[in-house]
Each structure stands twice: as C-alpha cells, then as structure tokens.
C-alpha cells in the first residue's frame, strides 16, 4: 500500500510540475468545490429524471429492433475483449460506458462528425469507431481526454481498447477539455454527435457544451452521461428550449440524457 501511495504522490507531483497539466488540475479542484448552481435542487432533479426515464430497450427497439440487438451483440463482444486486454492494467480506469447506446445511436443516425469528451480505456471510442466502420460513410471521431494524474505513465493507458484498424478515423487530444475542444472545433465545420463523459461538474459540462454549440446543426445528437450527478441536464433542456429528448434508465437509475438539437 505504501508503495502505491508513493507512486501516486510522485505522479501527481510530476504532473503538477508541468504547467499545462497543472492548470487543468487546478480547474478540476476549483470546479469540485465552487461549482455552478442549478435551477433545481438535487432531490427535485432526481424526481424529474424518474418521471422522464425510459429503458433503452423500449426506446431503441421501437426505432430499429434489428439495430438494437446488433448493439447488444457488439457490447457483449467488447466487454469480453476488454476483460482480457485490460487484465494486466493495475489501475482503475473507470467503467465501460453505455457502449450499446453509443453504438446504436451511431449506427442509426449515421453522424459524420463525432466529438466526445472522456476516453479512459477507450470503451466509448471503440464503440463509435466500430459503428463508423460498418456505416462506411467516411465519418471521423474527435476525442478529448486528460491523463489520470494519479497514475504513472497515464498517457499509455488512454484508448487501450481502440482497435488498430480503426485508428485512421480517430483524432485524440489529451490536454483537457478546455484546450482540446477549442482545437477540435477549429478542425471541423459542424458536429453531428456530441458525447460528454468527462468532468462531472455542472461548470465543466456547461463550459464544454458552450464551446461546441455553434457547430451543432438541426438534428445533431447531444448526449450527456452520468446526468444524475448534477442537475445540469434539466437546465440544459430548459434553457435551450429542447422539445425532443430522452432520459435513459440503466440498471434502475437514470444515467444518460440524449437531446436532438433544433
């Protein structure tokens, strides 16, 4: 245990000595303790989510039952592969994301420009890229991440699950959302699918979305993960007058919000 603690301390210290990483680290701490306020209390927000929550199976199978089952098959294969390929990774890089949801949305709506925040082991990135490959429409994925500063050599663990044959359609940026998204929007003319799964704070979500919002077009898909952490998704729906949205319920909790930009 002492060896692990020393290793983490050294990793944090090394990251803090890097001016670019230090700025991102400070902003994360700041947002954790001085986050933006919301229109609803957390309790009222959870009640609102529960009143709108729908099982993904119900929603997706009504759109395309075949693609729904294809998505489940893909997820089973990815989880099985991840169990083997990540077995030697001693660090907790987070869960597997809603890979079946991301795969389904990409296959069904066929976006050509996808921007995501939060990569970690690469569950979501692999889901997007595999769906892109099958769609065959020349789509590209732009991913924003920031290495876990508590982990030694953290950069080497980012996107481990992304298949090499899919990497030609993938652009990865690892300097934190604030920098990465500004770079990404300079490379694209529009965004068809924006997926947020990084900084869990209200401020982090709001700032990231405001960076990409003018690149969204009518019908663009916007998805936020872990929406039960903060009332941001309610404010996002209300303040942008969004009429078409879905709250996805998974394992008893409302965990993701999908909105269709107008």
């Amino acid at each position: 245990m002492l060896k692990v603690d020393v290793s983490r301390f050294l990793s944090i210290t090394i990251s803090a000595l890097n001016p670019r990483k230090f700025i991102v680290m400070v902003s994360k701490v700041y947002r954790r303790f001085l986050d933006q306020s919301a229109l609803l209390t957390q309790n009222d927000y959870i009640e609102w989510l529960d009143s709108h929550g729908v099982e993904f199976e119900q929603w997706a199978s009504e759109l395309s039952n075949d693609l729904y089952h294809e998505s489940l098959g893909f997820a089973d294969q990815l989880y099985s592969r991840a169990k083997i390929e990540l077995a030697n990774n001693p660090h907790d890089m987070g869960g597997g994301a809603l890979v079946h949801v991301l795969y389904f949305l990409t296959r069904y709506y066929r976006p050509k420009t996808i921007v995501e925040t939060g990569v970690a082991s690469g569950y979501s990135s692999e889901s997007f890229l595999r769906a892109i490959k099958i769609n065959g429409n020349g789509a590209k994925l732009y991913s924003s991440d920031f290495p876990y500063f508590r982990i030694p050599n953290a950069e080497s663990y980012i996107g481990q699950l992304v298949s090499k044959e899919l990497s030609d359609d993938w652009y990865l940026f690892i300097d934190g959302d604030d920098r990465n998204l500004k770079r990404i929007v300079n490379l694209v003319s529009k965004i068809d699918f924006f997926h947020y799964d990084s900084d869990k704070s209200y401020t982090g979500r709001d700032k990231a979305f405001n960076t990409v919002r003018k690149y969204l077009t009518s019908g663009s898909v916007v998805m936020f993960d872990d929406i039960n952490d903060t009332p941001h998704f309610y404010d996002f729906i209300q303040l942008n007058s969004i009429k078409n949205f879905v709250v996805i319920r998974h394992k008893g909790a409302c965990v993701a919000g999908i909105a269709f930009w107008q």
Side-chain angles (χ1 to χ4, degrees):
M1 179 64 72
L2 179 60
K3 184 176 181 180
V4 173
D5 289 341
V6 170
S7 178
R8 288 180 177 175
F9 175 77
L10 288 174
S11 298
I12 294 172
T13 302
I14 292 171
S15 294
L17 291 174
N18 182 322
R20 298 177 70 83
K21 291 185 177 181
F22 179 73
I23 293 173
V24 178
M25 293 166 65
V26 170
S27 69
K28 286 178 175 289
V29 174
Y30 176 84
R31 290 169 184 173
R32 176 168 295 185
F33 293 101
L34 295 170
D35 204 6
Q36 188 171 336
S37 59
L39 297 176
L40 289 182
T41 66
Q42 184 67 18
N43 288 337
D44 288 342
Y45 175 59
I46 294 300
E47 290 184 6
W48 180 83
L49 288 179
D50 286 338
S51 70
H52 288 83
V54 60
E55 294 290 339
F56 180 69
E57 176 183 5
Q58 175 187 341
W59 181 73
S61 58
E62 289 178 359
L63 293 177
S64 173
N65 193 51
D66 289 342
L67 278 183
Y68 168 70
H69 287 286
E70 180 183 315
S71 302
L72 295 184
F74 162 77
D76 287 341
Q77 291 178 1
L78 179 55
Y79 289 136
S80 296
R81 180 162 69 83
K83 189 173 182 180
I84 297 171
E85 295 186 9
L86 301 181
N88 295 324
N89 185 344
H91 307 291
D92 180 10
M93 300 289 288
L98 298 174
V99 298
H100 59 305
V101 179
L102 301 178
Y103 180 92
F104 177 89
L105 291 171
T106 306
R107 289 281 285 120
Y108 186 81
Y109 291 103
R110 301 175 63 84
K112 297 201 69 176
T113 302
I114 304 171
V115 176
E116 68 163 341
T117 71
V119 177
S121 295
Y123 283 95
S124 59
S125 304
E126 175 71 7
S127 303
F128 285 125
L129 290 167
R130 184 61 63 184
I132 283 173
K133 184 72 172 180
I134 297 174
N135 286 344
N137 63 344
K140 303 295 180 183
L141 170 65
Y142 299 82
S143 302
S144 169
D145 201 59
F146 182 72
Y148 290 155
F149 50 81
R150 298 179 183 85
I151 298 177
N153 195 27
E155 289 85 351
S156 64
Y157 297 107
I158 297 175
Q160 280 184 280
L161 291 174
V162 174
S163 303
K164 291 183 179 179
E165 71 269 18
L166 304 178
S167 59
D168 287 347
D169 296 323
W170 191 35
Y171 301 88
L172 173 63
F173 302 80
I174 60 170
D175 287 327
D177 289 346
D178 289 353
R179 287 194 181 95
N180 294 339
L181 291 176
K182 290 176 182 177
R183 293 175 184 171
I184 290 171
V185 295
N186 284 329
L187 298 174
V188 303
S189 58
K190 64 185 181 68
I191 297 172
D192 303 307
F193 190 163
F194 176 63
H195 175 238
Y196 186 91
D197 190 20
S198 48
D199 183 348
K200 306 305 179 187
S201 70
Y202 185 115
T203 304
R205 298 168 193 263
D206 200 45
K207 189 170 185 179
F209 178 74
N210 285 333
T211 301
V212 305
R213 67 177 297 152
K214 70 178 182 180
Y215 295 88
L216 301 174
T217 60
S218 180
S220 290
V221 179
V222 178
M223 177 172 168
F224 289 92
D225 269 336
D226 302 308
I227 58 172
N228 47 354
D229 287 347
T230 173
H232 169 270
F233 189 68
Y234 174 84
D235 291 8
F236 169 75
I237 294 299
Q238 301 299 320
L239 297 176
N240 291 291
S241 302
I242 294 174
K243 306 300 181 183
N244 189 4
F245 68 93
V246 181
V247 173
I248 297 298
R249 190 185 301 276
H250 181 66
K251 295 183 179 180
C254 296
V255 296
I258 304 169
F260 300 91
W261 196 246
Q262 297 145 196

